[in-house]
Amino acid sequence: MKWDEIKKYTNRKIDESLKIAELDEKYIPKASGLKYYPLAVAKAEGSRVWDVDGNEYIDFLTSAAVYNIGHRHPKVVKAIKEQIDKVLNYTMAYLYEEPPVKLAKMLTEIAPGNFEKKVTFGFSGSDSVDSSIKAARAYTKKKHIISFLHSYHGMTYGALSATGIIEPEVKEVIHPIKEIHFIEYPDPYRNSWGIDGYENPMELTNVVLDNVERKIKDLSEDIAGIIIEPIQGDAGVVVPPSEFVKGLKKLTEEYGIVFIDEEVQTGMGRTGKWWAIEHFGVIPDILASAKALGGGMPISATIGKAEIMKSVPVPLFVFTHLGHAVNSSAAIATIEAIKEERLIERAKKLGEYIIKRFEEMKEQYEIIGDVRGKGLLIGVDIVKDEKTRKPDRTTALKICWKAWEKGLIVITFGKHGNVLRIAPPLNIPKEDLDKGLEIIEDAIKEVLSGKVPDEVVKFLRGW
């Protein structure tokens, strides 16, 4: 990319960020990212981020829903420092350490279900999904897995195989696991059946559940697990009908299938409950967590019914840095901070406020086709036409570009790349939240008035 060309389209000071972007392009493969604007992060604190050029931003992305308790939360920083002063880590594969055991106990207490649970650890949502698939197959002695179209479960081998938002021809270059099968997710706003799932939730629910059951029978009931995001995140914050999730759980019980609840993006209070599955009154067999769990440190947890987790033979859950002591200490501090600061209740309250604000904008700007979400996981669907609901990725990207110029980090995602991703920290100050929403509305106005050229889109790879 000709990086200097970007300067033609912005007055923002970006020279130092461009230098880092050039080095990134030279040494890092493109497959490692979906870059947006030239912003090289130098510092972060709370709900604010500063780049290497000294520009300051309000953060509505939180590093892809990682910093639920804000950047560099004092409690997490303190826990990390105290642990570093004792020992970085010693492998759980051969000896014992207190932090991961203490964390495991805490997770069994906040995870849904009044039954005995066990926990294993990793480093990302991807490996938590892999561990979930291992456990489901080991427990049931079956091999097939059902996932959903437009799901995002990660990029390790098993997780990528289960991810439905990547085009099959793209995944085919790495020869994904063949025993994973995809069903269309019940998207109330935009689906292949033309059903308005907001007006007719049971009609949409029944169509999808019928498809799931048909697939189960087609595979001779040889299904180990069904993996689902209770709210699809990277698909564009797709909230299914409540009865669908309940019906899916019932099917897994009828056919002896492990229900895998993938809460990597939706967990840790993000949706106004500890776990998004709680909105639907369903108790999973296995729950996968990561992202926000470590307060910024890389750690994942797979929490499951004890009998399921015990079915995995030694040493198939082993990683050298399993339950890393520093990362586990950070996760313990994160859970404590969420409880002490009542951030779950705050996420619910602020989420309702944000959705109301965007609904008001929807009345003024026809490009806003749908506003949806729970808590502080919100998607704003940008369309070319309100009636046809045709996605408008270009306009959505231009809104993000202008928001960046005005000091807000916000990106797009979704199955069509046209949804604004609203995921600020759960403890974002109200003034930062309001300022961020004002920036988005101002950006919409400037895009609609033709003040953002189409040429900027070529600099935003994005979803």
Side-chain angles (χ1 to χ4, degrees), residues 70-86:
H71 295 276
R72 298 185 70 252
H73 191 286
K75 194 175 184 72
V76 172
V77 172
K78 181 175 182 286
I80 291 169
K81 288 179 177 178
E82 288 178 354
Q83 185 60 46
I84 286 173
D85 285 341
K86 292 184 285 188

Side-chain angles (χ1 to χ4, degrees), residues 109-126:
E109 291 168 351
I110 64 173
N114 294 318
F115 43 73
E116 185 184 354
K117 309 180 189 83
K118 287 186 179 290
V119 183
T120 190
F121 297 106
F123 308 96
S124 72
S126 300

Side-chain angles (χ1 to χ4, degrees), residues 83 87-92 95-101 323-325:
Q83 185 60 46
V87 61
L88 293 178
N89 189 57
Y90 203 98
T91 180
M92 284 182 72
L95 301 178
Y96 301 90
E97 273 190 317
E98 181 182 18
V101 176
H324 193 282

Side-chain angles (χ1 to χ4, degrees), residues 2 12 21 32 131 146 166 170 176 180 194 203-204 216 241 307 337 347 352 396 403 429 438 453 461:
K2 296 178 180 178
R12 203 131 182 96
S32 297
S131 292
I146 290 177
I166 307 296
V170 174
I180 296 182
E203 182 182 0
L204 181 60
I216 293 170
E307 63 265 31
E352 291 170 351
E438 289 170 12
R461 276 184 256 159

Side-chain angles (χ1 to χ4, degrees), residues 357-373:
R357 286 284 304 272
F358 275 114
E359 289 287 358
E360 290 169 356
M361 290 185 214
K362 185 174 180 286
E363 294 299 313
Q364 297 182 56
Y365 311 108
E366 291 187 0
I367 61 168
I368 298 179
D370 193 30
V371 180
R372 53 188 180 254

Side-chain angles (χ1 to χ4, degrees), residues 6-7 9-19 38-40 50-57 404-405:
I6 294 179
K7 294 180 184 179
Y9 302 101
T10 182
N11 293 320
R12 203 131 182 96
K13 184 182 175 185
I14 56 173
D15 288 345
E16 297 304 313
S17 288
L18 289 179
K19 289 177 185 177
L39 192 170
W50 291 261
D51 66 20
V52 292
D53 292 283
N55 299 305
E56 185 175 353
Y57 303 88
W404 160 68
E405 288 192 300

